[in-house]
Amino acid sequence: MKISKTINGHEHDLLVAIERFELVAKATHDVIWDWDLEKSTVWWNDGMQHIFGYDPGQISTGPDCWFDRIHPDDQDKVIRKIYFVIDQGQANWSDFYRFRRADGSYAHVHDRGYTIQSNGKPIRMVGSMMDITEQLKSEQAHKESEENLKFAMLAANLGTWNLDPVTKMLLFDERCLELYGNPDDEFLSYETVLKYIHPEDRERVVSAVAKALDPELKKDYDVRYRTIGATDGILRWLHCKGKAYFDNHNQSYRFAGVSRDITDEVATQQKILWADQQAAMTIEGSGAGSFFITLNSDEIIYSPTMARILTGTENKQITRDIFIDHIHPDDVQTRLDAYAEAEQTGELRYEARFIWDNGSVHWIRVIGRNFYDSAGRAISLSGIVMDITDRIESEQKIKTSEEHLRTLIEQAPVATSLFVGKDLIIDIPNEAMLKLWGKGNSVIGKPLREALPELEGQPFLAILDNIFQTGEAHSEKGARGDIVMDGVLQTFYYDYTYKPLRNSEGEIYAILDMAVDVTEQVKSLQALEKSEERYRQLASELERRVQQRTEELHRANTELINSNNNLQQFAYAASHDMQEPLRKIQSFSSRLQSIYTKQLDENGVFMLGRIQDASKRMSMMIDDLLTYSRLTTREVEFEAVPLEKTVNAVLADLEISIQEQGTHVTVESLPEVWGNRPQLTQLLQNLISNAIKYRQRDQVSVIKISAHDADASEMADIPRILAAHSYTCLEISDNGIGFDEKFLDRIFQMFQRLHGRGEFSGSGIGLALCKKVVQNHYGHITARSELGKGSTFIVYLPKPAKK
């Protein structure tokens, strides 16, 4: 039936009241009840079915249907308290208790009631029951649940549609076709369907569709409009909701949603009259405040509770400016965006901070809905406000606690991870735990049984399941675990602890796993136990030998201490005491040679020359040994060293040798490396000097110095690296005499030479010094060579870490 007459003021107020009642029920998700104390009957809204699972036929009208479902341990307390409030004529009652669901389980509820009196006698109590069992779940899970529930409610018995954003073709189900008057078109395009939308509403629909398909906005599609039936000409009001889906390139590939016929809702708003008093009492009983705004005059009707929620004072005069004056400056835009959205969808919903008159800050949730006249124009806004400060602060504390736990786990010195829920989902394992499992990051977010299937048949999974049942922690030392590493099932031993973690309700939500790999210790202990019997038979002899060996070790230790002390004095002695007589030998032999050469025979001159050569070699050897000692004992300070600049400086120092040998040196572009400048200079000077020295006499000496970034295969050859650094590979190639690669390890050892001193001079320490410099830089040195075809010395050095 259509209503053609204009809605009068009284009827409009009643429509507003019913709307408030529906808003409260949807916003709070509470079970709303009305207890007639004179008739002893209780009325429940649909929340009993939706929240607790009771069909209407399972609920009787008497108060016993309520009291009998209260947990036996809470029943007496609740009943006595509620009757005390009634008998004493008090206005409000509230309590926390457990309420039985239809499936036999119990929900924790917060129940509140408001007493209505007549002639000083209570005649009714109206209130709401809130299920707070899941209140501490994360906001994300709560939002997802709301979205799923919301979508499920919209999808039930509604018309569905699907728009292809590329072809602009629409696919309607049968119900959706009915809502548009069953068009005769075999294929419906977007432009065709727009023709069936009321001319005054088309622009609003087109704008809403554009915002939903805009990859920058991705607005949810939520719009009310009128259609004119394609074949029957009937005017229908539709409420359409939908969402656009985007691919990895941010291109929309689907736009789908549902449509609902709200013609009867718009036409029968007079049915709201009965709900006025019910909504007002329920709103106040639930702690929410209500408001009603006439849009053309900005006149606002509000409850005292709303004034208190927004300003902290119930007697505060509320105007629309109060919303602006008291809202936190950082949340002004949030409110403006919400009202802009309400103009499109008719639904107002936002959460923001409000500053009370006393300066305190409170989080407020505002929910409202526009009323429309028969022409579809918004004429009023009705809604409620709720103080949600406690919820926001609780969520922030939970978030802070979770971030703190994550940080502790990541920085834990032992292998640590969380197993969340009874499915044991692996969460925030630290690097030590990932290394212990040998599976990498792929295990994160997977159930433990799936990530490590080899645990089936081992005791760990059963222990974890038992902890979720009993709540008792479990620890063990030297426990055996068989883990697949590199495709092979291997046996390891662990000291580990499983500790249950509980939420504020006392429920176990996760298990903390901390483990230490003690495989080597356990295997050593096992080997010791196996040999214990054999050694027991030799105990007496062993004790004697141990005593003897102890004495020998004591003597050896004493000698070692003396030796170390002597070695510590070696550098000083070598640089002063040993060098001094050596310089005298060189000085006096030079004087003998210059003054008495003519008085010596040929043999004397030869022996004097040998003395000078030997003293020079010894001086060189002492210098090289001192240099090597400094590399071993001194701490190294690292910095970014420009390799190309360092090489040019070394070449400048060797300029005379290069010119004398006629060597041609090519230097390609070289990067910066992370190291000690003096040591790297020493390294390059030794390698380039060797390339110059070990040339072939019958051809021009050529040296090439180049570098490239080391790849993964090259890095595998480096035994000890700096994890935070990439590496460069420096190559110094020559066309000299070369060497047989079977002597590769030998050439880097102290005093090892492949040629006699008569062929090439040197102390035999140079390449050993090079190896020590590279080791000090956490690098690696090697060489490629072939006799008569030159050599290439290859050095891997770390590069400066990226900022």
Side-chain angles (χ1 to χ4, degrees), residues 326-340:
H326 283 265
I327 197 167
H328 194 284
D330 293 343
D331 295 338
V332 170
Q333 191 60 45
T334 299
R335 177 182 177 275
L336 294 176
D337 292 342
Y339 272 91

Side-chain angles (χ1 to χ4, degrees), residues 1 25 45 47 53 61 67-68 130 163 171 183 247 341 352 367 420 447 455 481 637 654 684 687 699 730 770 781:
M1 179 180 70
N45 74 336
T61 59
F67 297 152
D68 290 345
M130 179 187 295
L163 171 65
L171 180 63
D247 58 23
E341 182 72 15
I367 300 174
V420 180
L455 294 182
E637 294 183 359
L654 298 175
L684 293 167
L687 292 177
Q699 65 181 33
L730 173 68
C770 290
I781 185 170

Side-chain angles (χ1 to χ4, degrees), residues 100-112:
R100 188 173 70 249
R101 300 187 181 97
D103 61 6
S105 63
Y106 282 89
H108 291 264
V109 300
H110 181 199
D111 207 348
R112 295 154 293 182

Side-chain angles (χ1 to χ4, degrees), residues 784-796:
R784 296 190 304 267
S785 185
E786 188 176 346
L787 281 173
K789 295 185 178 181
S791 303
T792 298
F793 281 84
I794 305 163
V795 182
Y796 295 94

Side-chain angles (χ1 to χ4, degrees), residues 319-596:
T319 65
R320 293 195 74 174
D321 291 339
I322 288 294
F323 285 87
I324 299 174
D325 295 340
H326 283 265
I327 197 167
H328 194 284
D330 293 343
D331 295 338
V332 170
Q333 191 60 45
T334 299
R335 177 182 177 275
L336 294 176
D337 292 342
Y339 272 91
E341 182 72 15
E343 290 181 4
Q344 300 297 324
T345 65
E347 301 284 345
L348 176 67
R349 184 182 296 267
Y350 68 93
E351 294 179 358
R353 291 162 290 181
F354 280 74
I355 303 173
W356 282 9
D357 292 338
N358 62 8
S360 61
V361 178
H362 295 258
W363 275 94
I364 308 300
R365 187 180 190 188
V366 180
I367 300 174
R369 178 180 294 174
N370 284 334
F371 281 93
Y372 300 89
D373 61 17
S374 58
R377 292 185 293 269
I379 58 174
S380 61
L381 173 65
S382 176
I384 61 172
V385 297
M386 293 173 288
D387 190 330
I388 58 172
T389 304
D390 291 342
R391 191 203 78 192
I392 296 295
E393 289 179 350
S394 176
E395 291 169 357
Q396 290 175 344
K397 289 179 181 178
I398 291 173
K399 182 178 179 180
T400 301
S401 177
E402 289 176 348
E403 291 176 351
H404 181 61
L405 176 60
R406 180 180 296 272
T407 300
L408 289 177
I409 289 177
E410 291 175 349
Q411 297 179 355
V414 298
T416 308
S417 178
L418 279 185
F419 302 137
V420 180
K422 293 185 178 180
D423 290 335
L424 304 175
I425 303 299
I426 298 173
D427 190 23
I428 54 176
N430 62 8
E431 289 297 325
M433 183 62 82
L434 293 175
K435 183 178 180 181
L436 186 147
W437 288 334
K439 302 292 191 299
N441 293 333
S442 62
V443 302
I444 299 175
K446 292 183 179 180
L448 184 60
R449 288 176 169 83
E450 178 184 334
L452 282 79
E454 61 266 31
L455 294 182
E456 292 290 351
Q458 300 186 53
F460 305 105
L461 296 176
I463 292 171
L464 290 167
D465 290 340
N466 185 62
I467 292 174
F468 265 105
Q469 297 295 326
T470 65
E472 297 179 359
H474 181 86
S475 62
E476 197 169 343
K477 292 186 177 295
R480 172 175 171 168
D482 295 328
I483 303 295
V484 174
M485 289 280 191
D486 301 325
V488 179
L489 187 65
Q490 303 179 42
T491 297
F492 300 90
Y493 295 90
Y494 309 101
D495 290 349
Y496 72 92
T497 297
Y498 291 152
K499 180 177 177 59
L501 303 182
R502 300 178 183 272
N503 58 25
S504 59
E505 295 292 327
E507 300 169 338
I508 299 173
Y509 71 92
I511 295 176
L512 179 66
D513 176 17
M514 303 184 72
V516 178
D517 187 346
V518 294
T519 303
E520 294 302 322
Q521 297 92 313
V522 171
K523 287 184 176 179
S524 298
L525 181 60
Q526 290 174 344
L528 181 62
E529 290 174 350
K530 289 179 181 179
S531 61
E532 186 176 351
E533 182 62 29
R534 178 167 58 88
Y535 281 118
R536 186 181 294 114
Q537 298 173 359
L538 302 174
S540 178
E541 177 64 18
L542 181 61
E543 183 177 356
R544 184 187 64 80
R545 292 187 179 184
V546 168
Q547 180 64 31
Q548 180 182 355
R549 183 58 178 162
T550 300
E551 294 174 357
E552 293 174 355
L553 288 174
H554 179 72
R555 289 194 299 271
N557 190 45
T558 300
E559 294 174 359
L560 182 60
I561 292 173
N562 294 333
S563 177
N564 285 337
N565 291 335
N566 292 335
L567 286 174
Q568 291 176 0
Q569 298 174 12
F570 170 75
Y572 179 84
S575 60
H576 294 82
D577 299 343
M578 292 176 64
Q579 289 279 26
E580 182 60 26
L582 189 58
R583 282 193 291 269
K584 289 182 177 180
I585 292 173
Q586 292 174 321
S587 175
F588 283 113
S589 62
S590 296
R591 292 177 64 186
L592 284 172
Q593 190 176 40
S594 62
I595 298 174
Y596 298 101

Side-chain angles (χ1 to χ4, degrees), residues 550-744:
T550 300
E551 294 174 357
E552 293 174 355
L553 288 174
H554 179 72
R555 289 194 299 271
N557 190 45
T558 300
E559 294 174 359
L560 182 60
I561 292 173
N562 294 333
S563 177
N564 285 337
N565 291 335
N566 292 335
L567 286 174
Q568 291 176 0
Q569 298 174 12
F570 170 75
Y572 179 84
S575 60
H576 294 82
D577 299 343
M578 292 176 64
Q579 289 279 26
E580 182 60 26
L582 189 58
R583 282 193 291 269
K584 289 182 177 180
I585 292 173
Q586 292 174 321
S587 175
F588 283 113
S589 62
S590 296
R591 292 177 64 186
L592 284 172
Q593 190 176 40
S594 62
I595 298 174
Y596 298 101
T597 299
K598 295 180 180 181
Q599 301 177 24
L600 298 175
D601 58 13
E602 183 179 347
N603 190 39
V605 172
F606 171 75
M607 287 188 290
L608 188 58
R610 292 293 299 272
I611 291 173
Q612 286 184 317
D613 290 341
S615 63
K616 289 178 182 178
R617 287 198 307 273
M618 187 171 183
S619 179
M620 184 190 308
M621 185 175 294
I622 290 173
D623 288 339
D624 288 345
L625 284 172
L626 284 173
T627 301
Y628 188 86
S629 175
R630 293 189 191 101
L631 290 175
T632 304
T633 59
R634 291 185 180 179
E635 293 185 358
V636 180
E637 294 183 359
F638 282 8
E639 62 179 339
V641 179
L643 207 53
E644 190 167 331
K645 184 177 180 180
T646 306
V647 167
N648 290 333
V650 169
L651 293 176
D653 291 341
L654 298 175
E655 182 178 4
I656 296 176
S657 297
I658 293 172
Q659 292 176 353
E660 289 177 350
Q661 302 296 337
T663 302
H664 179 68
V665 182
T666 301
V667 181
E668 295 185 354
S669 178
L670 302 176
E672 284 189 339
V673 295
W674 184 247
N676 179 268
R677 189 186 301 268
Q679 289 194 16
L680 291 174
T681 300
Q682 208 164 32
L683 167 70
L684 293 167
Q685 186 155 1
N686 281 358
L687 292 177
I688 296 173
S689 296
N690 281 355
I692 296 171
K693 178 168 61 176
Y694 293 105
R695 69 183 184 88
Q696 299 198 60
R697 305 297 181 184
D698 57 351
Q699 65 181 33
V700 176
S701 173
V702 177
I703 299 174
K704 179 182 177 182
I705 304 173
S706 62
H708 66 269
D709 291 339
D711 57 29
S713 61
E714 293 176 299
M715 294 292 290
D717 295 331
I718 303 177
R720 188 167 62 116
I721 65 174
L722 294 173
H725 296 257
S726 58
Y727 275 67
T728 189
C729 176
L730 173 68
E731 295 187 356
I732 300 176
S733 303
D734 62 62
N735 63 343
I737 62 174
F739 63 89
D740 192 331
E741 285 192 8
K742 70 180 180 180
F743 299 116
L744 180 60

